[in-house]
Amino acid sequence: MKIEGTTLFVSLNDSLMLSQESSIYDYLNQLSYRNLIVICLIIMFSIVFYLISLIVDSLVDKQKHYDLSVRSFERYEQAVLRRRQKDDDSVFKIKDESEELEERNRKLQFTIWTNRNLQVSFVHSVLCSIWLLYILIARHNELFADLLFNITWDSYLVLAFSCGYFLYDFYDICANGYLKREWVVCVHHWIVLLSFGYHMINLISVGYTVIALLMEFNSVFLHARKLLKFYAFKRNSLIVYSNCIANILSFIVFRFGILGVILYSIKIDGHRVSVQYLCILITFILIMTVINVILFKRIVQKDVSVLMCVKAKNPNVNLDAQMMDNIDQDEKPIDMNQNIILLVEKN
């Protein structure tokens, strides 16, 4: 029973949970060097992901991974060549053969690194999703009691866990010399790091930040989609078909749906935060909405062709060449000696 927002009667379990939540908040609030502790937590989890990357490297057959990366790169080259053959009016800058071979080798090495990096990203999304699922099942009372100021150890640590991954991924990009090429990803990582870190240090919106992190449920299928493509699963296979459907549905629920929840939270809790914080939050939501709309459009365009391929009576139905970029491992290979100039820049 409540009168004017004050609880008169609560169960014993609820009172224990409320006292535990307040004790966690009070304990964290009394820490003199909370910002330093948050930084140490993030660095610790980034080291954990570095160790995870070493474990993944040790478990993966390096020769097989290299062969799959070469095959994936050759499929990409074939797609580029087809598009250029269709574009009769384009003029390309012709480089000498040694420069072309060097450039091709750099891009092949980037493909190999990308696929290894993708495997670590997939591990993060799976582990984070399992952790979030546990919070939703076992800690939902604490989580939804007050999303703005309630804090549990699970919600606090899962944010540090994800921040550790983003810091590790930023390090991995820089260490391999792809900062200029992957600057958009790096900007995204630092926006998340600064946002999550701010909430952890100032003990505000930790619950809402955990809700925003539920987007990782969709990241599982996004990464799985690329891994299935990398391991040359056929488009008409059941696992690819199922992942396409799960990817689209989870994108709608856990990306657009979560953005809707955060927008609704502004309506009900906006008066409890400063105007400056509110303006920054709305700007962030608008940016994320635009990014997700563009990403969803690309996913639908690519995955619809997969669904159509599976539904076709003839599983080997002749699709458009652009839709065949990444289909089969049995696809006819391109003659690299005759087509050495493939990946060049336009004038």
Side-chain angles (χ1 to χ4, degrees):
M1 179 178 177
K2 293 184 177 181
I3 297 179
E4 296 182 355
T6 304
T7 303
L8 296 183
F9 302 102
V10 295
S11 66
L12 178 61
N13 290 335
D14 289 340
S15 62
L16 288 174
M17 286 187 297
L18 288 172
S19 62
Q20 183 182 18
E21 292 161 17
S22 60
S23 63
I24 294 173
Y25 181 90
D26 293 339
Y27 173 75
L28 292 173
N29 194 38
Q30 292 172 3
L31 294 177
S32 302
Y33 302 100
R34 190 167 57 249
N35 53 350
L36 183 60
I37 294 173
V38 169
I39 293 173
C40 290
L41 276 174
I42 293 173
I43 293 175
M44 180 190 72
F45 280 117
S46 67
I47 295 173
V48 169
F49 274 102
Y50 177 76
L51 296 176
I52 289 175
S53 69
L54 295 180
I55 295 173
V56 170
D57 286 341
S58 65
L59 295 176
V60 172
D61 186 337
K62 291 182 174 56
Q63 184 59 45
K64 183 178 180 181
H65 184 271
Y66 176 81
D67 293 340
L68 288 169
S69 296
V70 171
R71 184 175 295 176
S72 174
F73 181 68
E74 288 178 353
R75 287 197 299 268
Y76 167 73
E77 284 190 323
Q78 291 180 56
V80 172
L81 183 61
R82 290 193 197 100
R83 286 194 292 268
R84 290 185 175 179
Q85 287 174 345
K86 289 182 178 181
D87 194 358
D88 297 330
D89 297 330
S90 295
V91 179
F92 300 102
K93 190 186 303 180
I94 307 300
K95 304 177 183 178
D96 62 52
E97 186 172 328
S98 61
E99 290 181 352
E100 288 298 329
L101 287 172
E102 183 180 352
E103 182 178 358
R104 182 177 182 272
N105 183 63
R106 285 199 305 269
K107 293 184 178 182
L108 175 58
Q109 293 302 318
F110 176 74
T111 302
I112 296 172
W113 170 82
T114 300
N115 293 321
R116 183 192 61 79
N117 179 269
L118 179 62
Q119 293 169 340
V120 180
S121 299
F122 179 74
V123 171
H124 163 256
S125 60
V126 171
L127 293 178
C128 189
S129 297
I130 294 173
W131 198 339
L132 290 169
L133 190 62
Y134 166 77
I135 293 174
L136 291 176
I137 295 174
R139 306 293 185 191
H140 62 277
N141 289 331
E142 299 97 312
L143 181 66
F144 292 102
D146 185 356
L147 290 171
L148 198 60
F149 292 111
N150 270 14
I151 297 175
T152 65
W153 287 120
D154 293 301
S155 60
Y156 200 76
L157 291 176
V158 76
L159 298 185
F161 177 77
S162 286
C163 285
Y165 161 72
F166 291 124
L167 181 60
Y168 158 78
D169 200 44
F170 174 74
Y171 159 79
D172 193 34
I173 292 171
C174 294
N176 287 276
Y178 298 123
L179 178 60
K180 185 176 180 180
R181 187 164 188 166
E182 296 291 308
W183 69 270
V184 175
V185 177
C186 293
V187 169
H188 166 270
H189 286 359
W190 276 104
I191 289 176
V192 174
L193 279 168
L194 293 174
S195 174
F196 284 20
Y198 176 85
H199 292 152
M200 292 175 67
I201 291 173
N202 292 279
L203 305 178
I204 184 174
S205 295
V206 171
Y208 282 121
T209 309
V210 171
I211 295 296
L213 198 56
L214 292 177
M215 294 183 185
E216 287 300 319
F217 283 117
N218 172 248
S219 297
V220 173
F221 302 105
L222 275 175
H223 296 325
R225 176 178 175 273
K226 294 180 180 179
L227 287 173
L228 291 171
K229 176 181 176 181
F230 171 65
Y231 285 105
F233 279 79
K234 294 189 177 183
R235 282 190 162 199
N236 54 10
S237 64
L238 178 60
I239 187 172
V240 174
Y241 176 77
S242 302
N243 187 77
C244 286
I245 294 178
N247 188 24
I248 293 174
L249 293 179
S250 63
F251 198 105
I252 295 172
V253 174
F254 292 109
R255 290 190 181 269
F256 292 132
I258 294 301
L259 287 173
V261 170
I262 296 176
L263 281 174
Y264 179 73
S265 72
I266 294 176
K267 177 182 177 181
I268 61 175
D269 282 333
H271 65 282
R272 302 172 65 190
V273 297
S274 65
V275 176
Q276 296 86 346
Y277 176 83
L278 206 59
C279 292
I280 294 174
L281 180 62
I282 293 174
T283 303
F284 174 75
I285 292 174
L286 292 176
I287 294 173
M288 291 302 296
T289 301
V290 172
I291 292 174
N292 282 317
V293 168
I294 295 173
L295 181 58
F296 184 69
K297 180 181 177 181
R298 293 177 179 176
I299 289 174
V300 169
Q301 288 175 340
K302 293 180 179 180
D303 284 1
V304 164
S305 64
V306 176
L307 300 177
M308 291 177 61
C309 177
V310 176
K311 290 183 178 180
K313 293 182 179 179
N314 180 8
N316 296 320
V317 61
N318 184 26
L319 300 174
D320 182 79
Q322 187 175 359
M323 296 163 58
M324 295 286 288
D325 292 350
N326 55 0
I327 292 187
D328 294 334
Q329 54 186 340
D330 300 325
E331 189 175 15
K332 183 179 178 181
I334 192 169
D335 186 350
M336 296 301 174
N337 293 327
Q338 295 180 3
N339 299 284
I340 192 66
I341 303 175
L342 292 173
L343 304 176
V344 291
E345 302 294 334
K346 286 188 177 181
N347 282 324

